């Protein structure tokens, strides 16, 4: 059985954690309403290299590669532009498409 997901890794100052997560949850729900993804998960971990940073991982699960391609083509730019100004220049983003197999 395979799982496909779009992984968004965000590195941010620990001081922004609470405000960012308050913004992220409704943003994530809005993305899920677009119907490209079946569900999502959020992971928060302390950065092992610095106590001043945390890493947030959001995994958006999709069924077909075309679903992700359609999201990236039709909606990603608009959804990314919704990031509040207070977070811009202070967050680092990395994005990946991941396919895993559950044995």
């Amino acid at each position: 059985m395979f799982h496909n997901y779009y992984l968004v890794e965000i590195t941010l100052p620990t001081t922004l954690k609470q405000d960012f997560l308050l913004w992220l949850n409704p943003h994530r729900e809005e993305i899920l309403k677009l119907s490209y993804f079946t569900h999502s998960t959020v992971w928060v971990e302390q950065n092992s290299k610095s106590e001043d940073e945390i890493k947030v991982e959001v995994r958006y699960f999709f069924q077909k590669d075309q679903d992700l391609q359609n999201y990236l083509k039709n909606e990603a730019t608009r959804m990314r532009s919704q990031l509040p100004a207070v977070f811009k220049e202070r967050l680092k983003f990395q994005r990946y498409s991941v396919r895993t197999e559950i044995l």
Side-chain angles (χ1 to χ4, degrees):
M1 176 180 210
F2 291 96
H3 285 277
N4 300 310
Y5 60 92
Y6 180 53
L7 173 61
V8 181
E9 292 181 345
I10 309 108
T11 304
L12 62 142
T14 305
T15 56
L16 294 179
K17 176 183 175 182
Q18 179 105 9
D19 290 337
F20 179 72
L21 292 176
L22 284 173
W23 172 81
L24 177 62
N25 285 325
H27 178 74
R28 187 169 52 95
E29 289 174 14
E30 185 177 349
I31 289 175
L32 291 175
K33 287 179 185 175
L34 297 171
S35 300
Y36 297 104
F37 304 104
T38 59
H39 63 287
S40 67
T41 59
V42 176
W43 300 76
V44 179
E45 62 182 69
Q46 185 68 41
N47 187 333
S48 61
K49 297 176 185 174
S50 170
E51 291 184 13
D52 297 333
E53 286 186 336
I54 62 165
K55 183 166 69 169
V56 176
E57 290 187 2
V58 184
R59 297 175 184 191
Y60 295 99
F61 292 83
F62 59 93
Q63 292 185 356
K64 298 178 287 193
D65 289 339
Q66 192 61 47
D67 292 334
L68 176 60
Q69 295 311 311
N70 288 339
Y71 169 76
L72 294 173
K73 179 182 175 186
N74 300 323
E75 302 290 349
T77 300
R78 180 178 68 83
M79 296 309 292
R80 291 174 187 171
S81 73
Q82 293 179 359
L83 184 70
V86 68
F87 300 130
K88 292 183 180 176
E89 308 296 323
R90 301 193 65 198
L91 280 60
K92 295 177 219 156
F93 290 86
Q94 294 185 306
R95 297 172 175 91
Y96 312 93
S97 176
V98 179
R99 181 178 173 94
T100 60
E101 184 175 9
I102 298 176
L103 303 175

